[in-house]
Amino acid sequence: MGILQNFENRLEQMVSGVFAKAFRSAVQPVEIASALQREVDNSAQILSRNRRLVPNQFHVELSAQDHERLSPYSSTLAQELTEMLRDHAHEQSYVFTGPVTIAFDERDDLSTGRFRVRSAALAKVTPVSDRSVTDTAVRRAKVILEVNGMKHPLDPPGIVIGRGSEADLRINDPGVSRRHAEIRVHANDAGTDVSVVDLGSTNGMLVNGSKVQQATLDDGGTIKIGNTTMTVRFLPSTGGPAPPHLRHQRMGWRRCLS
């Protein structure tokens, strides 16, 4: 029996005919399951001969009517779809970089019976110390690093990012080396300077879209290692020195006023 048939049978046993009645003449669960399988297959990236990387975050976009019909069963359906995707990944030797999540979103541009699937491969991110990502630590930080929905404070002297246990910020991404890059943070009288250095990684890194060995980072600067993109944010401080991009602006204002 195929994976889709197994999925459909499990769903029918759990919610009986109530689910089928709710979705009559609308998007069917098996259609969503099939679309998720295609999305995974079409997005697979070769890691090695027997391993391929696939997305682990999925958004199923539905019309207002379909979304309303789905809402009472969304939790059950998401669990069953997640299990179906895990079975499919095991059968195809796919690798998820983190926990599989499926969300259902309402979209005004879709008519009843039509839907879209969007996906992304988001690696699991683990700081060495859970204390480093507390709300208090983030609020006190002058600079933070945003990665896969997590905010990590960047304090002097900086952090090492990689896949190995010796990294300060571990990213479970097959394209990331054990010690991939180091973000260096230096505080001085003028403010805080942030830079990033490649530590001899296998796949290198992109800073603001360009492949480099090292670079200085301003507010909004991006670092991509493997399949993971991180963004540096300078936070406004009360009474303290301004971040580099604001210091430059203020110097320009002073010249204009003088």
Side-chain angles (χ1 to χ4, degrees), residues 95-192:
V95 176
F96 294 117
T97 56
V100 178
T101 62
I102 300 174
F104 300 95
D105 305 322
E106 182 180 327
R107 292 291 180 266
D108 294 335
D109 63 328
L110 292 172
S111 57
T112 303
R114 300 185 65 84
F115 67 97
R116 283 190 300 261
V117 174
R118 301 187 188 277
S119 66
L122 297 182
K124 181 180 179 181
V125 181
T126 308
V128 169
S129 172
D130 291 337
R131 292 177 297 176
S132 64
V133 293
T134 61
D135 290 340
T136 301
V138 171
R139 284 197 302 268
R140 290 177 177 174
K142 295 181 179 179
V143 189
I144 63 170
L145 185 70
E146 296 179 349
V147 49
N148 292 355
M150 188 196 76
K151 295 179 179 180
H152 191 287
L154 292 177
D155 299 318
I159 59 172
V160 172
I161 300 171
R163 189 165 44 86
S165 58
E166 64 270 32
D168 301 307
L169 192 64
R170 284 174 283 188
I171 301 179
N172 183 31
D173 183 331
V176 173
S177 297
R178 296 185 63 82
R179 283 172 51 88
H180 198 112
E182 181 180 7
I183 296 180
R184 297 174 179 174
V185 182
H186 176 66
N188 51 50
D189 293 338
T192 304

Side-chain angles (χ1 to χ4, degrees), residues 39-78:
E39 181 70 16
V40 166
D41 293 337
N42 294 336
S43 304
Q45 301 179 39
I46 297 175
L47 295 175
S48 64
R49 184 175 178 180
N50 298 317
R51 297 171 71 236
R52 285 178 288 178
L53 178 71
V54 294
N56 61 309
Q57 183 185 79
F58 302 89
H59 287 268
V60 180
E61 299 180 348
L62 301 153
S63 69
Q65 288 180 319
D66 285 328
H67 188 269
E68 184 179 0
R69 291 189 181 99
L70 172 69
S71 293
Y73 317 100
S74 59
S75 178
T76 298
L77 181 57

Side-chain angles (χ1 to χ4, degrees), residues 160-164 166-167 169 171 173-183 196-206 213 223-227 230:
V160 172
I161 300 171
R163 189 165 44 86
E166 64 270 32
L169 192 64
I171 301 179
D173 183 331
V176 173
S177 297
R178 296 185 63 82
R179 283 172 51 88
H180 198 112
E182 181 180 7
I183 296 180
V196 61
V197 179
D198 189 290
L199 297 178
S201 65
T202 301
N203 298 316
M205 69 177 182
L206 299 177
Q213 290 296 316
I223 308 165
K224 184 176 182 180
I225 57 175
N227 292 281
M230 299 164 280

